[in-house]
Amino acid sequence: MPRGETSASVEAAIDLTVQMAGVEFRNPVITASGTYGFGSEYAPYCPVEALGGITLKGTTPEPRLGNCVPRLAETPAGMLNAIGLENPGLEEFVKTVLPQIKELPTQVIANISGFSVADYALMARTLRRDSGLAALEVNISCPNVKHGGMHFGTDSQSAETVIRAVKQETDLPVIAKLSPNVTDIREMARAVARGGADAISLINTLLGMSIDVEKKKPVLANTFGGLSGPAVRPVAVRMVWEVAEAVDLPIIGMGGISSWQDAVEFLLAGASAVSIGTGNFLNPSLPLDVSTGIETYCRRHGFSSVRELTGLAHRV
Amino acid sequence: MLSMATVLANETMGAPEEGLRRLVLRGIGAARPGQFLHIQVSAHLEPLLRRPLSIARIDKERAEVTLFYRVQGRGTQVLAGVRPGEALSVLGPLGQGFSLPAQLSQRLQLSHQSHSPNLGHQGHTRQQGEVRQDSVQAGGELWLVAGGIGVFPLFALAQEAVGQGITVRLFWGGTHKRFLESAGFSYWEALGIPLHLTTLDGSFGRQGMVTDELNTQLSLRASSSLPPVLEVATCGPRGMMQAVVERCLPLDIPVEVSLEERMGCGVGACLGCSVTVRSDNKSLRNKKVCQDGPVFRGEEVVWNA
Ligand SMILES: Cc1cc2nc3c(=O)[nH]c(=O)nc-3n(C[C@H](O)[C@H](O)[C@H](O)COP(=O)(O)OP(=O)(O)OC[C@H]3O[C@@H](n4cnc5c(N)ncnc54)[C@H](O)[C@@H]3O)c2cc1C
Ligand SMILES: Cc1cc2nc3c(=O)[nH]c(=O)nc-3n(C[C@H](O)[C@H](O)[C@H](O)COP(=O)(O)O)c2cc1C
Ligand code: FES
């Protein structure tokens, strides 16, 4: 008999907590890097304490002004971005961002990007447990920077090397963020697992472009940009499914989540938690709506813990 | 603030060929001139992203705001189909508005107070010196320079400034007469302020660019005893705003510019709407149009970044 949809008490508390890489998140809803600033911008619309966690904008060793505008282009059910990793640089990040995040009542994940293994190692050496962070997400997949992290994200040997270097330098749990712009995502997942990753997040944006037919030139100043939003979700769900079968690491699933149903889809495909990116732009209180929706879903289907959902679609 | 605002009106303004519309919303929080709303034009997320539109009129008593917009592409087309009585998800008011009215009225008040015998009794002796300096500028004017639909956010500013007793003058350029008439000419006329209009085809006002007329009037001021220009606020094509800034700054007239950029979040979280500015120490850095602007000090904007 399926677990009692009718017998479950309506009042039963649902356990929304998830543990990944030794970190406890109060619920499985995290915000995605680059879409949530440094945590405070959305506070008026979505209380920080309602979030499982926040992932900060990607940081590089040196400050970066990023790409020229236009940096954004809307596409069917999605958008392209080419921010170009604008960020204040590691030194400023440590000086001004870290003190602020210590005050945030949620788990905060830093996201690091680099142009060489040494870059990643340098940041990992600086960002350790005493920084107040919960984990380090290693972006080996940003498609917007020429000669950027992309090649680490598409070559399994380099991906393994970067993750290993980061692991050696930091005592924080390490999350490897994978690029979808590869032939076989399972191979990348296995590579970062060998490198010692404690968890995997995916997907980063899909490389795309859009041309203004009246002006007869690319819309983005950078020509190419990363596609995100609902359009990428089926690709992301498929990749989470594949990675869940390939490695035995917790997965943070993301790509196009704009409702709680979308989030549940990722959990069923094998994710332990989800991240919301572009969806925040559409509905600034989406993370809150998603965690409430997941809770109601669990209750309706007779699950006492959200952890029971992870990978369920592989088994039934 | 994130709210479901009720649409009170959403109708064509003027000649339909101009594609201009007027949208009146109720249920928006307190707004300042120069701020904008980030509007979800369709609950079905098609198109996906919100659209930024400036607040053109603020009716505090009735808690209503009016936006003027031009049907441009898919998003504004869908918005045009929203009917009165329906609700729209609105994020805002967002951004930093114009700082002019408050500052100007302060100056005017201060200069007024400096003639008041009470001031000494209140013992503000140090401020008195400042007051005298400011009073030199009493009687000055706020000039607004608009290109095309850049006039929309300036209307809220004009309303507020006029309400505070500041003398306002509008310079507004458009392509042709029908555009100016459709884009709110009658609202400006009703404000009862001096209007300097230009059209490219000469069908209304002076033929030429709005900056031509601005130059003429600035030169006139320089050689006459007319009241000085205290501040300029401008909105329109980038090149026009740059020209206004480059003309006014050497004359020591502060300029505020209202910029546009494609937006994702609207709240400073995605870095999509970047603008390069020169810090006081001359180094270049980025600001965000949505959060740090859309109104910026003219001298800080790097126009050809
Ligand atoms: C702060 C601010 C205030 C604005 N105020 C007004 C106003 O009061 N009245 C008005 O008519 N227009 C205003 N605009 C411009 C307005 O946002 C665009 O015309 C509108 O977004 C076009 O959307 P669309 O789908 O019809 O056009 P499309 O060209 O199909 O839009 C495609 C994408 O580009 C973006 N986009 C296109 N043009 C602009 C633009 N000029 N600025 C920013 N993003 C753009 C859209 O938002 C969308 O994401 C303002 C823009 C900004 C940034
Ligand atoms: C504007 C923008 C900026 C982003 N910046 C980063 C970044 O700095 N580092 C990173 O790892 N991912 C970045 N991403 C990718 C997102 O974190 C996420 O992986 C992707 O957008 C897919 O999720 P979504 O469809 O929910 O947005 C960015 C995405 C967007 C839209
Ligand atoms: S629109 Fe996102 S930072 Fe301005």
Side-chain angles (χ1 to χ4, degrees), chain B residues 262-273 288-291:
Chain B
R262 282 162 181 255
M263 290 185 181
C265 67
V267 299
C270 75
L271 307 182
C273 64
K288 299 170 236 180
V289 171
C290 66
Q291 192 184 38

Side-chain angles (χ1 to χ4, degrees), chain A residues 34-37 41-42 45 65 69-74 77-79 83 86 219 230 258 281-285, chain B residues 1-2 40 45 47-51 91 94 261-265 267-272 274 284-286 288 291:
Chain A
T35 67
Y36 222 71
E41 290 83 357
Y42 274 110
Y45 313 100
L65 285 174
V69 291
R71 292 177 171 188
L72 304 179
E74 198 182 40
M79 60 175 276
I83 308 299
E86 173 179 345
V219 177
S258 65
F281 308 163
L282 322 176
N283 172 8
S285 58
Chain B
M1 194 172 104
L2 179 64
Q40 188 152 77
L45 303 184
L48 191 69
L49 297 174
R50 290 171 179 268
R51 296 295 190 265
L91 188 56
L94 297 173
E261 196 44 66
R262 282 162 181 255
M263 290 185 181
C265 67
V267 299
C270 75
L271 307 182
S274 198
L284 297 188
R285 66 188 192 95
N286 286 343
K288 299 170 236 180
Q291 192 184 38

